[in-house]
Amino acid sequence: MMRVLMVCLGNICRSPMAEGILLKKIAGTGLSIEVDSAGTGNYHVGEHPDPRAIATARRFGVDISMLVARQFVYSDFIKFDRIFVMDQSNYTNVVQLARTADDRKKVELFLTLDPTLRLTEVPDPWFGHADGFIDVFQMLDQASDAFLKQIHS
Ligand code: 4NP
């Protein structure tokens, strides 16, 4: 069983979308991968994803409406094998909590899995307009494909 954690700031936009996308791609493949998501901040703990994230994911056939935000905790380093962060700020915040070199090695910028993507950071769609969520969804979809390709090779 491989365990993967998606991390952003609020755990209501980017990382729940990433979680839902990867879960959908895994479903029915027989792959033994557990996926979860968390935020470095605690502002939205206990909330469902942002309505714009839910609506965008639904448009592409991914249901994230049942997900509930939680904050990243140290024990996530113990539980998860791969920790994918959405931007550099998330990277800094997560690595600050690491205690060992092994912890730190688990943390990667999610978009770097697909070098054909022009960005290494997923823009924060929270303050932007609704279109931003579609771009974010597509980046996360590509990086999720790259992840599955990577673990198959
Ligand atoms: P996320 O987006 O990190 O993709 O979930 C954000 C959600 C909320 C806030 C910032 C980013 N906030 O400042 O409350």
Side-chain angles (χ1 to χ4, degrees):
M1 163 74 81
M2 183 192 285
R3 294 186 173 87
V4 174
L5 183 66
M6 303 293 185
V7 178
C8 63
L9 175 58
N11 194 208
I12 54 167
C13 298
R14 293 165 292 177
S15 62
M17 289 172 86
E19 177 183 353
I21 290 165
L22 186 55
L23 278 173
K24 189 183 176 193
K25 289 182 188 293
I26 290 165
T29 63
L31 285 169
S32 182
I33 305 174
E34 185 180 316
V35 188
D36 191 12
S37 66
T40 59
N42 65 358
Y43 326 104
H44 298 281
V45 168
E47 295 177 18
H48 293 294
D50 184 286
R52 297 166 294 176
I54 293 175
T56 304
R58 183 183 293 127
R59 232 178 106 170
F60 293 98
V62 177
D63 183 13
I64 60 168
S65 63
M66 79 301 283
L67 299 179
V68 178
R70 72 170 179 89
Q71 189 170 23
F72 182 87
V73 289
Y74 176 73
S75 57
D76 288 323
F77 280 115
I78 310 299
K79 174 167 184 192
F80 293 93
D81 306 293
R82 309 278 299 262
I83 298 173
F84 293 125
V85 294
M86 300 298 129
D87 63 28
Q88 196 59 53
S89 158
N90 307 149
Y91 184 89
T92 303
N93 289 327
V94 169
V95 164
Q96 259 165 7
L97 296 172
R99 294 178 192 168
T100 68
D102 199 52
D103 292 345
R104 277 188 288 278
K105 267 191 295 187
K106 294 181 178 183
V107 190
E108 296 166 80
L109 283 163
F110 191 40
L111 295 192
T112 62
L113 270 63
D114 183 353
T116 72
L117 282 163
R118 294 191 167 275
L119 297 171
T120 57
E121 300 185 275
V122 184
D124 187 341
W126 170 256
F127 297 105
H129 48 89
D131 283 358
F133 283 79
I134 295 171
D135 295 336
V136 163
F137 185 96
Q138 281 161 348
M139 290 171 208
L140 296 171
D141 192 72
Q142 271 188 250
S144 297
D145 283 338
F147 168 71
L148 290 174
K149 207 172 152 192
Q150 182 191 75
I151 63 166
H152 271 120
S153 59

